[in-house]
């Protein structure tokens, strides 16, 4: 994926998949855009499609567009025999809207295995389409260019139009994240050693640094002795001290 999408496509001959139409037998409704059918049967079919997607990703909110059957290819650019390779993923394709980032995802549900194609739409995507084909290059340059073969070019055109609109939308919303946020790791405090009683009691030795004269305190031996005696007569302080000592001995 070191070249632009158009340049890469020009360098590689796309071979039509003659065997795909013979395998095209997926029972999805003919309507390719959600919302075009208002009948109860149509709505039931749409629920039947979205529920399996939500079972995998509960954040899926709706299906924006789908096609009944595609074959997924990857462009191999390295090695002695560069060219298009089947990715062993074929079945219905969905473009879904999610409740959280990434807002849109393209999903190809494989009919023969669990290796689905899932790509999050990103402002840096490059999209190029031809009759029966949709090609796109994702934002990650280390990933190979994708190719989707459509049995029905009318459905390919509808998917292409929806992708172009969604890419335009997210490109015009630069402040909106398009990747799943990574949770920050909680800072782990080191376990105190058995002799760190002062630290356990909150009397940790102060870190070296500049001393402000306003923060300095003059402590005489008599004042220190008086303070220690008052603490020795404080039952609450003694109980807390004994509890800390017992913890260090466990």
């Amino acid at each position: 994926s070191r070249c632009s999408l158009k340049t890469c496509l020009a360098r590689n001959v796309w071979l039509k998949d003659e065997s795909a139409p013979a395998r095209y037998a997926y029972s999805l409704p003919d309507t390719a855009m959600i919302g075009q059918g208002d009948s109860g049967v149509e709505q039931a079919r749409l629920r039947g499609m979205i529920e399996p997607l939500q079972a995998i990703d509960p954040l899926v909110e709706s299906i924006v567009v789908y096609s009944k059957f595609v074959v997924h290819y990857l462009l191999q650019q390295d090695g002695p025999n560069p060219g298009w390779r089947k990715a062993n993923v074929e079945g219905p394709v969905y473009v879904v809207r999610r409740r959280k980032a990434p807002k849109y995802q393209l999903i190809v549900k494989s009919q023969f295995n669990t290796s689905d194609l899932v790509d999050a739409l990103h402002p840096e995507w490059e999209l190029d389409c031809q009759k029966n084909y949709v090609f796109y290059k994702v934002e990650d340059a280390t990933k190979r260019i994708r190719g989707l073969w459509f049995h029905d070019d009318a459905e390919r055109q509808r998917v292409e139009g929806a992708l172009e609109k969604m890419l335009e939308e997210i490109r015009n919303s630069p402040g909106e994240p398009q990747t799943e946020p990574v949770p920050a790791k909680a800072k782990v405090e080191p376990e105190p050693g058995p002799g760190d009683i002062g630290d356990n009691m909150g009397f940790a030795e102060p870190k070296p640094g500049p001393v402000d004269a306003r923060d300095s305190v003059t402590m005489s031996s008599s004042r220190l002795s008086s303070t220690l005696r008052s603490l020795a007569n404080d039952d609450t302080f003694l109980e807390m001290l004994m509890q800390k000592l017992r913890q260090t001995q466990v």
Side-chain angles (χ1 to χ4, degrees):
S1 302
R2 292 177 295 276
C3 55
S4 68
L5 178 60
K6 289 185 179 295
T7 303
C8 289
L9 294 179
R11 292 176 181 173
N12 294 271
V13 178
W14 180 259
L15 299 178
K16 184 176 180 180
D17 183 6
E18 299 292 351
S19 61
R23 297 192 301 273
Y24 172 69
Y26 204 79
S27 57
L28 287 177
D30 293 333
T31 303
M33 291 295 292
I34 302 303
Q36 290 184 355
D38 297 325
S39 68
V41 175
E42 175 69 8
Q43 294 302 318
R45 284 179 172 178
L46 297 181
R47 285 195 299 271
M49 285 188 289
I50 196 172
E51 286 174 358
L53 299 176
Q54 291 174 331
I56 300 173
D57 182 2
L59 294 178
V60 171
E61 183 178 35
S62 61
I63 299 174
V64 181
V65 65
Y66 70 88
S67 178
K68 291 175 285 188
F69 185 86
V70 299
V71 180
H72 175 218
Y73 289 83
L74 292 169
L75 180 58
Q76 178 67 39
Q77 299 185 63
D78 301 322
N81 298 308
W84 292 96
R85 305 286 187 271
K86 282 189 177 181
N88 197 29
V89 177
E90 52 188 81
V93 59
Y94 306 90
V95 181
V96 301
R97 180 185 290 108
R98 302 176 76 253
R99 295 184 180 89
K100 293 184 179 180
K103 187 174 183 180
Y104 297 110
Q105 281 184 333
L106 183 149
I107 303 171
V108 178
K109 294 290 294 178
S110 179
Q111 296 179 342
F112 308 113
N113 54 56
T114 58
S115 301
D116 300 335
L117 170 67
V118 181
D119 284 329
L121 273 67
H122 191 277
E124 297 180 11
W125 269 29
E126 296 180 42
L127 183 68
D128 194 358
C129 302
Q130 303 172 13
K131 181 177 172 58
N132 292 103
Y133 307 125
V134 167
F135 308 103
Y136 63 96
K137 181 180 179 182
V138 299
E139 73 282 0
D140 188 347
T142 64
K143 294 184 177 180
R144 289 182 283 179
I145 292 174
R146 283 86 157 99
L148 300 179
W149 179 91
F150 287 72
H151 171 76
D152 187 343
D153 190 59
E155 293 190 3
R156 189 273 305 169
Q157 294 178 44
R158 284 189 287 263
V159 172
E160 175 188 354
L163 287 173
E164 288 177 343
K165 289 181 180 179
M166 285 178 281
L167 287 173
E168 181 180 3
E169 176 186 337
I170 61 178
R171 286 166 183 162
N172 292 332
S173 304
E176 185 174 344
Q178 300 304 327
T179 55
E180 192 76 33
V182 178
K185 293 184 178 179
K187 184 178 179 181
V188 179
E189 296 292 339
E191 291 291 334
D196 297 336
I197 301 176
D199 290 344
N200 294 337
M201 294 296 295
F203 301 144
E205 182 179 352
K207 300 294 186 295
V211 178
D212 193 326
R214 293 172 297 179
D215 297 333
S216 61
V217 178
T218 302
M219 176 66 72
S220 64
S221 59
S222 59
R223 184 176 178 183
L224 176 61
S225 176
S226 175
T227 301
L228 291 175
R229 282 197 299 273
S230 63
L231 289 174
N233 294 326
D234 189 331
D235 293 339
T236 302
F237 174 79
L238 291 176
E239 179 61 25
M240 182 173 61
L241 180 60
M242 292 300 296
Q243 183 179 358
K244 292 296 182 179
L245 289 173
R246 286 193 291 269
Q247 291 177 353
T248 62
Q249 294 174 0
V250 175

